[in-house]
Amino acid sequence: MADLIQITHEGRVALIRLNRPQALNALNTALAEELTAAAEALDADKGVGAIVVTGSDRAFAAGADISEMAEKTAEEMVEADFFSTWDRFAATRTPKIAAVNGYALGGGCELMMMCDFAIAGEGAKFGQPEVKLGVIAGMGGTQRMTRLIGRALSMDLHLTGRMMDAAEALRAGLVARVVPDDQVVPEAMAAARQIAGYSRPATRLAREAVMRAEELSLAEGVAWERRLFHRLFGTSGQREGMNAFLEKRKPEFHAD
Ligand code: CO8
């Protein structure tokens, strides 16, 4: 059987490509496990500073695999804690960029939202169409989308199942950038190279601090951020970054 994902490395950036094109990269259990194991291994590798996750030209991912789920019973779903693998993917700390062409629907849109930000092609389409299947989002969509784009639009997408185009997704804040379709992966790789060129603790803690904004009150979040800021003064990245600025030279960060 062909690998369900392909991983290539370019310097300190890893590119993960979902590889079930015949099923529009529908996310079955095997793919979830392979992708999560790969992300965890890359997360533990100090030589990797950023990860790009992408699909094919036609689909980032058209959702959880409906053929795998269709016959399952509630007992089986509870017993397997179906979809819990994705919590491990979301918990990886390396900055992750979703590079999205084509459909990002259901679980595909949810996988995109588990990444730290998304760069989409002009032809990309987004949605949470689970309601059309008699279910609801199950990989965090109702929660992450509502935090990202607000209740009104999130309700609209979850209740009508309609698709949102790239221009609307950009306006809504669902994606960070929209570029021509053939520029999606190059743009995401360039952003990933930029991130991977910085001090690894700085990018990890920046990510952690921003994520905390979704969980904490403003006062708690500001205090959390300040503690992380203080902690970075124990890293070689802080010394190198600030000294390089004062010495008017380009910083050389190490994976510390
Ligand atoms: N699962 C399985 N197979 C899929 C999926 C999917 N999500 N999406 C597409 N495919 C397959 C099709 O069955 C088809 O296979 P085949 O060639 O063998 O017939 C192939 O991919 C190509 O798809 P289409 O022929 O349909 O291509 P079109 O260009 O005509 O349409 C669409 C593209 C609009 C993307 C269409 O495929 C579609 O609507 N797909 C389903 C989208 C969807 O509903 N996604 C949500 C899935 S549910 C989910 O993600 C979370 C569920 C939460 C459950 C909670 C449980 C705990």
Side-chain angles (χ1 to χ4, degrees), residues 4-136:
L4 296 170
I5 59 168
Q6 294 167 338
I7 306 176
T8 49
H9 291 262
E10 192 190 295
R12 291 174 47 72
V13 175
L15 172 66
I16 304 180
R17 193 177 283 279
L18 309 184
N19 187 35
R20 286 190 80 202
Q22 71 291 347
L24 302 185
N25 290 325
L27 305 167
N28 60 15
T29 302
L31 196 158
E33 279 166 6
E34 222 179 284
L35 176 59
T36 299
E40 287 178 333
L42 293 169
D43 205 34
D45 180 347
K46 282 198 163 186
V48 175
I51 299 171
V52 173
V53 181
T54 196
S56 67
D57 291 348
R58 230 180 125 203
F60 178 71
D65 191 317
I66 298 166
S67 54
E68 185 185 56
M69 286 184 296
E71 299 302 324
K72 291 226 185 286
T73 62
E75 287 84 350
E76 286 167 338
M77 290 298 224
V78 171
E79 184 58 30
D81 199 7
F82 204 75
F83 287 163
S84 58
T85 306
W86 293 109
D87 293 342
R88 286 172 33 223
F89 175 85
T92 56
R93 299 172 66 207
T94 306
K96 291 172 286 303
I97 304 175
V100 180
N101 272 313
Y103 297 110
L105 298 176
C109 192
E110 295 170 290
L111 171 59
M112 178 188 88
M113 292 187 285
M114 282 179 220
C115 296
D116 298 312
F117 65 97
I119 296 178
E122 287 164 346
K125 297 242 185 280
F126 309 87
Q128 298 291 158
E130 291 89 344
V131 70
K132 297 180 180 178
L133 302 168
V135 292
I136 65 170

Side-chain angles (χ1 to χ4, degrees), residues 198-202 232-244 251-256:
Y198 297 131
S199 154
R200 191 169 139 104
L232 285 168
F233 282 74
T235 64
S236 68
Q238 175 270 330
R239 280 181 294 286
E240 173 60 10
M242 292 195 177
N243 285 335
E252 295 259 354
F253 293 113
H254 301 288
D256 59 348

